[in-house]
Amino acid sequence: MNDRSQRQEQWEDRTDALLAVASLAFLAGYAVRILGHDLPQVWQDVCLAITFAAWAVFVVDYVVRMWLSGLRPLRFVRSHVLDTIVVLLPLLRPLRMVTSYDKIQRRRDKARLTLYVRVMAYAGLSSLLLGFASALTVYSYEYGAPGATIRTFGDSVWWACSTLSTVGYGDVSPVTPGGRVTAVGLMACGLALLGAVTGSFSSWLIQTFTREDEKRPPGDFPGAS
C-alpha cells in the first residue's frame, strides 16, 4: 500500500463517525423543515442551517479524498460515481451508511454475512431510505400545488411505496415538474433494487437446492419408489 492509499484510508477511518452523524443531521434537518410548516421561522432557519452545514461536511470530505487519491478530478469522479451523486444529491447520503457494517467487519476480521444476505439487506435498507427521502422531496413540491393529489405526507409515503414496489396504483401522483422528476428517479431505483433483491434471492435458492441435491445419493429423488 502506497503513502497516498494509506493516508486516504486513515482519513476515511477518522471521518466515518463524523459523516454518519452529518448524514443523520442532514436527513433530520431536511425532514423537520419540510414537515414543520407551522414551526416558527427561527426554527426553520435552524433546520436550514443544519442541512447546509452537513452538506458542507460532505463537500469537504469529497475534496479531501480527491486530493489524497492523487487522481485527476475527472478520473476521480468516474471511479467514485456514488460519492459524486451523494455530493450532488446529499439527501441520498444516508445510503453510504449501509456499507459501514461491512467495513467494520473487515477491520475486525469477523465472520461476515453471505453475499446474498448482504445484497438483500443493502437493497432493503436502501429502499427504506430512498422511499423516505423521495416522499419528503415530492411532498415539498406537491404541498399546496394547484390540482395536486398528494396533499399530506401520508399520501406521499403511500405514493413512494407503490412506486418503489413498481405497483403504481395511480390514485395519487405528482403534478409538479420537480415531483415528476423525483418520480422518474424513484422508478429507476425501484426497478434496480427490486431486480437486485429478486436476483439474489433466486441465486440463494438455487445454491441451497444444488447443495441438497449434491448430498442426495444417486437415484434418490423425492417421490421415487
Side-chain angles (χ1 to χ4, degrees):
M1 182 182 295
N2 56 40
D3 291 340
R4 285 189 176 275
S5 299
Q6 188 174 4
R7 283 188 296 172
Q8 188 174 3
E9 185 174 345
Q10 290 175 350
W11 170 264
E12 293 176 356
D13 292 342
R14 292 172 181 173
T15 57
D16 269 349
L18 175 62
L19 291 174
V21 172
S23 300
L24 293 175
F26 185 94
L27 188 60
Y30 183 78
V32 172
R33 189 168 182 272
I34 295 299
L35 300 177
H37 299 291
D38 299 329
L39 286 177
Q41 185 62 39
V42 61
W43 288 111
Q44 294 188 19
D45 293 340
V46 168
C47 292
L48 184 62
I50 291 174
T51 56
F52 275 112
W55 196 348
V57 171
F58 305 152
V59 173
V60 170
D61 171 69
Y62 185 84
V63 173
V64 170
R65 288 193 295 112
M66 181 187 296
W67 176 71
L68 290 175
S69 70
L71 300 175
R72 293 182 178 180
L74 185 58
R75 185 176 178 184
F76 182 85
V77 168
R78 280 187 287 187
S79 59
H80 296 76
V81 177
L82 179 58
D83 294 329
T84 305
I85 293 175
V86 163
V87 171
L88 297 176
L89 301 173
L91 196 58
L92 302 180
R93 179 70 206 192
L95 293 179
R96 296 290 296 155
M97 298 169 58
V98 180
T99 59
S100 297
Y101 173 82
D102 192 47
K103 292 176 64 177
I104 292 173
Q105 296 289 54
R106 288 178 181 175
R107 282 188 216 141
R108 298 181 180 179
D109 197 23
K110 291 184 178 179
R112 299 190 297 272
L113 297 174
T114 64
L115 175 63
Y116 303 123
V117 175
R118 276 185 290 158
V119 170
M120 288 187 286
Y122 182 89
L125 186 52
S126 298
S127 298
L128 289 176
L129 291 172
L130 282 172
F132 181 66
S134 299
L136 286 172
T137 303
V138 167
Y139 181 62
S140 68
Y141 286 118
E142 299 294 307
Y143 178 78
T149 57
I150 301 176
R151 298 189 174 277
T152 66
F153 184 62
D155 293 337
S156 187
V157 170
W158 169 251
W159 166 84
C161 291
S162 61
T163 303
L164 264 177
S165 62
T166 69
V167 174
Y169 286 105
D171 52 346
V172 290
S173 58
V175 297
T176 61
R180 289 178 174 175
V181 170
T182 304
V184 171
L186 188 60
M187 291 175 195
C189 292
L191 288 173
L193 291 171
L194 185 63
V197 172
T198 304
S200 297
F201 184 68
S202 300
S203 298
W204 175 75
L205 286 177
I206 292 173
Q207 188 182 65
T208 301
F209 292 147
T210 300
R211 284 199 299 262
E212 291 180 356
D213 289 340
E214 290 175 350
K215 294 177 182 178
R216 189 175 295 125
D220 184 13
F221 298 99
S225 56

